[in-house]
Amino acid sequence: SQKIEQNSEALNIQEGKTATLTCNYTNYSPAYLQWYRQDPGRGPVFLLLIRENEKEKRKERLKVTFDTTLKQSLFHITASQPADSATYLCALDILTGGGNKLTFGTGTQLKVEL
Amino acid sequence: NAGVTQTPKFRILKIGQSMTLQCAQDMNHNYMYWYRQDPGMGLKLIYYSVGAGITDKGEVPNGYNVSRSTTEDFPLRLELAAPSQTSVYFCASRYDREYFEQYFGPGTRLTVT
């Protein structure tokens, strides 16, 4: 069956450290992979998109890698801050006949402590 | 731009009642989506639309209906509400069929008792 797995346990790290979140998938061949941030009581907000032929993408303190052989994406936040505390969702952009649809993982809750 | 707007923010329904969740976007996006999010679970796609007059089922369509008469609006109808439909509902839109990000609304928290 098709599955997207993110760390189910919350990730607690100290301010200033690098947070690394994992997204693994099986039985999908996504054209793109996206990462979203979701704060409590709010809708997800787009962060980064990476294509299947890109190994790495960066935006300010954020970095995403995409390994289609391992079927894995890693999401890094460097110099983390308490304001980075949120749930982070990965989403696979699947090509279908009726238009692409995003399939979301369950998310990883990140808590950055002082 | 207001982006994606949803109404109401909260609603409590009795079993068997019906209601419509409203969603509108002012970004001239063709693609619109309805998701539900249960605690600890990911977003599940209910219905989506690739343009006015065109809708299709997602992963969990049972108990819901949609229509898309304009580019801007994509209402979700719940008929005969059941406790299993207690969830947070998010509407989203997208500029094109691939590569572009999705913009989400603030959500509607629905409780069916």
Side-chain angles (χ1 to χ4, degrees):
Chain A
S1 64
Q2 298 170 322
K3 212 160 43 168
I4 304 171
E5 290 183 336
Q6 295 187 251
N7 312 60
S8 56
E9 310 249 338
L11 182 63
N12 293 348
I13 64 165
Q14 273 196 314
E15 183 179 19
K17 302 289 187 189
T18 296
T20 298
L21 284 64
T22 305
C23 177
N24 293 302
Y25 59 94
T26 57
N27 296 330
Y28 286 112
S29 295
Y32 313 98
L33 189 145
Q34 303 189 17
W35 283 87
Y36 288 76
R37 169 183 172 139
Q38 187 174 23
D39 291 287
R42 294 181 176 265
V45 174
F46 171 77
L47 295 174
L48 277 172
L49 177 154
I50 187 166
R51 297 177 194 253
E52 61 179 338
N53 61 354
E54 294 177 319
K55 295 292 185 191
E56 183 180 298
K57 202 84 169 277
R58 291 175 185 262
K59 180 183 174 183
E60 296 170 356
R61 293 184 297 111
L62 309 180
K63 184 177 87 171
V64 172
T65 62
F66 191 14
D67 189 327
T68 54
T69 302
L70 290 179
K71 293 187 181 295
Q72 181 182 78
S73 176
L74 298 178
F75 178 79
H76 306 272
I77 306 175
T78 58
S80 58
Q81 304 164 1
D84 295 325
S85 299
T87 296
Y88 291 85
L89 305 168
C90 75
L92 304 186
D93 207 339
I94 310 293
L95 289 168
T96 68
N100 281 34
K101 293 191 279 290
L102 285 180
T103 301
F104 286 85
T106 54
T108 297
Q109 188 175 357
L110 173 67
K111 187 171 182 182
V112 182
E113 298 163 333
L114 291 169
Chain B
N1 285 352
V4 180
T5 57
Q6 291 184 239
T7 56
K9 284 190 174 5
F10 304 93
R11 183 73 187 266
I12 298 174
L13 278 183
K14 292 193 186 309
I15 293 171
Q17 287 185 320
S18 300
M19 76 164 294
T20 299
L21 281 65
Q22 301 292 344
C23 173
Q25 53 89 12
D26 61 358
M27 298 174 281
N28 203 33
H29 287 173
N30 283 322
Y31 291 76
M32 295 188 74
Y33 308 84
W34 273 106
Y35 295 89
R36 60 176 286 173
Q37 186 175 40
D38 300 319
M41 305 292 284
L43 292 153
K44 302 289 186 189
L45 183 65
I46 305 171
Y47 270 96
Y48 67 101
S49 169
V50 302
I54 307 169
T55 62
D56 207 348
K57 295 177 181 179
E59 190 181 352
V60 290
N62 291 345
Y64 307 94
N65 273 305
V66 293
S67 59
R68 183 98 181 268
S69 56
T70 66
T71 298
E72 294 77 20
D73 300 297
F74 189 39
L76 177 72
R77 177 87 179 155
L78 278 72
E79 307 280 3
L80 299 174
S84 61
Q85 293 177 305
T86 294
S87 189
V88 181
Y89 291 84
F90 290 103
C91 178
S93 73
R94 186 175 192 172
Y95 175 66
D96 205 344
R97 60 176 285 150
E98 60 183 273
Y99 186 62
F100 291 90
E101 69 269 31
Q102 283 186 187
Y103 293 81
F104 284 82
T108 295
R109 184 175 295 275
L110 176 69
T111 302
V112 182
T113 61

Short mmCIF file of all heavy atoms in Angstrom, two decimals, chain B residues 74-97:
data_model
loop_
_atom_site.label_atom_id
_atom_site.label_comp_id
_atom_site.label_asym_id
_atom_site.label_seq_id
_atom_site.Cartn_x
_atom_site.Cartn_y
_atom_site.Cartn_z
N PHE B 74 -16.19 27.43 -3.84
CA PHE B 74 -16.18 25.96 -3.86
C PHE B 74 -16.80 25.47 -2.55
O PHE B 74 -16.11 25.07 -1.62
CB PHE B 74 -14.74 25.46 -4.01
CG PHE B 74 -14.60 23.99 -4.26
CD1 PHE B 74 -15.47 23.31 -5.09
CD2 PHE B 74 -13.56 23.27 -3.69
CE1 PHE B 74 -15.33 21.95 -5.35
CE2 PHE B 74 -13.40 21.91 -3.93
CZ PHE B 74 -14.28 21.26 -4.76
N PRO B 75 -18.13 25.48 -2.43
CA PRO B 75 -18.78 25.07 -1.19
C PRO B 75 -18.80 23.56 -1.02
O PRO B 75 -18.88 22.80 -1.99
CB PRO B 75 -20.20 25.62 -1.34
CG PRO B 75 -20.41 25.73 -2.83
CD PRO B 75 -19.07 26.00 -3.44
N LEU B 76 -18.75 23.14 0.24
CA LEU B 76 -18.80 21.71 0.60
C LEU B 76 -20.09 21.48 1.38
O LEU B 76 -20.34 22.13 2.39
CB LEU B 76 -17.60 21.33 1.47
CG LEU B 76 -17.55 19.90 1.99
CD1 LEU B 76 -17.23 18.93 0.85
CD2 LEU B 76 -16.50 19.76 3.10
N ARG B 77 -20.89 20.53 0.93
CA ARG B 77 -22.18 20.26 1.55
C ARG B 77 -22.10 18.97 2.34
O ARG B 77 -21.63 17.94 1.81
CB ARG B 77 -23.24 20.14 0.45
CG ARG B 77 -24.63 19.79 0.93
CD ARG B 77 -25.39 21.03 1.30
NE ARG B 77 -26.76 20.70 1.73
CZ ARG B 77 -27.48 21.47 2.54
NH1 ARG B 77 -26.99 22.62 2.98
NH2 ARG B 77 -28.70 21.12 2.88
N LEU B 78 -22.55 19.02 3.60
CA LEU B 78 -22.69 17.82 4.40
C LEU B 78 -24.18 17.51 4.52
O LEU B 78 -24.95 18.34 4.97
CB LEU B 78 -22.16 18.02 5.82
CG LEU B 78 -20.66 17.88 6.05
CD1 LEU B 78 -19.90 19.05 5.46
CD2 LEU B 78 -20.38 17.75 7.54
N GLU B 79 -24.56 16.34 4.08
CA GLU B 79 -25.94 15.90 4.22
C GLU B 79 -26.02 14.86 5.34
O GLU B 79 -25.13 14.02 5.43
CB GLU B 79 -26.42 15.24 2.91
CG GLU B 79 -26.24 16.08 1.66
CD GLU B 79 -27.33 17.13 1.49
OE1 GLU B 79 -28.20 17.25 2.38
OE2 GLU B 79 -27.29 17.84 0.47
N LEU B 80 -27.02 14.94 6.17
CA LEU B 80 -27.22 13.94 7.22
C LEU B 80 -25.94 13.75 8.04
O LEU B 80 -25.30 12.69 8.00
CB LEU B 80 -27.65 12.59 6.61
CG LEU B 80 -28.97 12.62 5.83
CD1 LEU B 80 -29.23 11.28 5.14
CD2 LEU B 80 -30.12 12.97 6.78
N ALA B 81 -25.55 14.78 8.76
CA ALA B 81 -24.30 14.77 9.52
C ALA B 81 -24.24 13.58 10.48
O ALA B 81 -25.23 13.21 11.12
CB ALA B 81 -24.16 16.08 10.28
N ALA B 82 -23.02 13.01 10.58
CA ALA B 82 -22.76 11.89 11.47
C ALA B 82 -21.58 12.24 12.37
O ALA B 82 -20.73 13.06 11.99
CB ALA B 82 -22.44 10.64 10.65
N PRO B 83 -21.48 11.62 13.56
CA PRO B 83 -20.34 11.91 14.46
C PRO B 83 -18.98 11.70 13.79
O PRO B 83 -18.02 12.39 14.12
CB PRO B 83 -20.56 10.94 15.61
CG PRO B 83 -22.04 10.72 15.64
CD PRO B 83 -22.46 10.73 14.20
N SER B 84 -18.92 10.78 12.82
CA SER B 84 -17.64 10.52 12.12
C SER B 84 -17.18 11.72 11.29
O SER B 84 -16.03 11.75 10.84
CB SER B 84 -17.78 9.29 11.22
OG SER B 84 -18.78 9.51 10.24
N GLN B 85 -18.08 12.69 11.08
CA GLN B 85 -17.71 13.88 10.32
C GLN B 85 -17.19 15.01 11.21
O GLN B 85 -16.89 16.10 10.71
CB GLN B 85 -18.89 14.36 9.47
CG GLN B 85 -19.24 13.36 8.37
CD GLN B 85 -20.45 13.79 7.57
OE1 GLN B 85 -21.53 14.03 8.13
NE2 GLN B 85 -20.30 13.87 6.26
N THR B 86 -17.10 14.74 12.50
CA THR B 86 -16.45 15.70 13.40
C THR B 86 -14.98 15.81 13.01
O THR B 86 -14.27 14.80 12.99
CB THR B 86 -16.58 15.22 14.85
OG1 THR B 86 -17.95 15.26 15.24
CG2 THR B 86 -15.75 16.10 15.78
N SER B 87 -14.56 17.01 12.66
CA SER B 87 -13.21 17.18 12.13
C SER B 87 -12.95 18.67 11.91
O SER B 87 -13.83 19.52 12.14
CB SER B 87 -13.07 16.43 10.80
OG SER B 87 -11.73 16.40 10.36
N VAL B 88 -11.74 18.98 11.48
CA VAL B 88 -11.42 20.33 11.01
C VAL B 88 -11.32 20.26 9.49
O VAL B 88 -10.62 19.39 8.95
CB VAL B 88 -10.11 20.86 11.61
CG1 VAL B 88 -9.85 22.27 11.09
CG2 VAL B 88 -10.17 20.86 13.13
N TYR B 89 -12.03 21.15 8.83
CA TYR B 89 -12.10 21.13 7.37
C TYR B 89 -11.30 22.31 6.81
O TYR B 89 -11.49 23.46 7.22
CB TYR B 89 -13.55 21.21 6.91
CG TYR B 89 -14.32 19.96 7.24
CD1 TYR B 89 -14.88 19.77 8.50
CD2 TYR B 89 -14.46 18.94 6.31
CE1 TYR B 89 -15.57 18.61 8.82
CE2 TYR B 89 -15.14 17.77 6.61
CZ TYR B 89 -15.69 17.62 7.87
OH TYR B 89 -16.36 16.46 8.18
N PHE B 90 -10.43 22.00 5.86
CA PHE B 90 -9.63 23.03 5.22
C PHE B 90 -9.93 23.05 3.72
O PHE B 90 -9.97 22.01 3.06
CB PHE B 90 -8.13 22.76 5.40
CG PHE B 90 -7.65 22.97 6.81
CD1 PHE B 90 -7.41 21.89 7.64
CD2 PHE B 90 -7.42 24.25 7.29
CE1 PHE B 90 -6.96 22.08 8.93
CE2 PHE B 90 -6.97 24.45 8.58
CZ PHE B 90 -6.75 23.36 9.41
N CYS B 91 -10.08 24.25 3.22
CA CYS B 91 -10.19 24.49 1.79
C CYS B 91 -8.85 25.00 1.30
O CYS B 91 -8.14 25.70 2.05
CB CYS B 91 -11.30 25.50 1.53
SG CYS B 91 -11.53 25.94 -0.19
N ALA B 92 -8.47 24.66 0.08
CA ALA B 92 -7.18 25.12 -0.46
C ALA B 92 -7.35 25.41 -1.94
O ALA B 92 -8.26 24.88 -2.60
CB ALA B 92 -6.10 24.07 -0.24
N SER B 93 -6.47 26.23 -2.47
CA SER B 93 -6.48 26.51 -3.90
C SER B 93 -5.05 26.52 -4.42
O SER B 93 -4.08 26.66 -3.67
CB SER B 93 -7.18 27.84 -4.21
OG SER B 93 -6.37 28.94 -3.82
N ARG B 94 -4.96 26.38 -5.73
CA ARG B 94 -3.66 26.26 -6.37
C ARG B 94 -3.74 26.89 -7.75
O ARG B 94 -4.76 26.76 -8.42
CB ARG B 94 -3.33 24.79 -6.48
CG ARG B 94 -1.96 24.46 -6.99
CD ARG B 94 -1.79 22.94 -6.91
NE ARG B 94 -0.41 22.57 -7.12
CZ ARG B 94 0.06 21.34 -6.95
NH1 ARG B 94 -0.73 20.38 -6.55
NH2 ARG B 94 1.32 21.08 -7.16
N TYR B 95 -2.66 27.53 -8.18
CA TYR B 95 -2.68 28.24 -9.46
C TYR B 95 -2.80 27.29 -10.65
O TYR B 95 -3.56 27.52 -11.57
CB TYR B 95 -1.42 29.09 -9.58
CG TYR B 95 -1.27 29.76 -10.92
CD1 TYR B 95 -2.17 30.75 -11.32
CD2 TYR B 95 -0.25 29.40 -11.79
CE1 TYR B 95 -2.05 31.36 -12.56
CE2 TYR B 95 -0.13 30.01 -13.02
CZ TYR B 95 -1.03 30.98 -13.40
OH TYR B 95 -0.91 31.59 -14.63
N ASP B 96 -2.03 26.22 -10.60
CA ASP B 96 -1.99 25.33 -11.76
C ASP B 96 -1.90 23.89 -11.30
O ASP B 96 -1.79 23.61 -10.11
CB ASP B 96 -0.81 25.70 -12.67
CG ASP B 96 -1.04 25.27 -14.11
OD1 ASP B 96 -1.95 24.44 -14.34
OD2 ASP B 96 -0.32 25.76 -15.00
N ARG B 97 -1.91 22.97 -12.24
CA ARG B 97 -2.04 21.55 -11.90
C ARG B 97 -0.80 20.95 -11.29
O ARG B 97 -0.86 19.90 -10.65
CB ARG B 97 -2.43 20.73 -13.13
CG ARG B 97 -1.43 20.79 -14.28
CD ARG B 97 -1.86 19.87 -15.40
NE ARG B 97 -1.59 18.48 -15.06
CZ ARG B 97 -2.31 17.47 -15.50
NH1 ARG B 97 -3.35 17.67 -16.28
NH2 ARG B 97 -2.01 16.23 -15.17
#
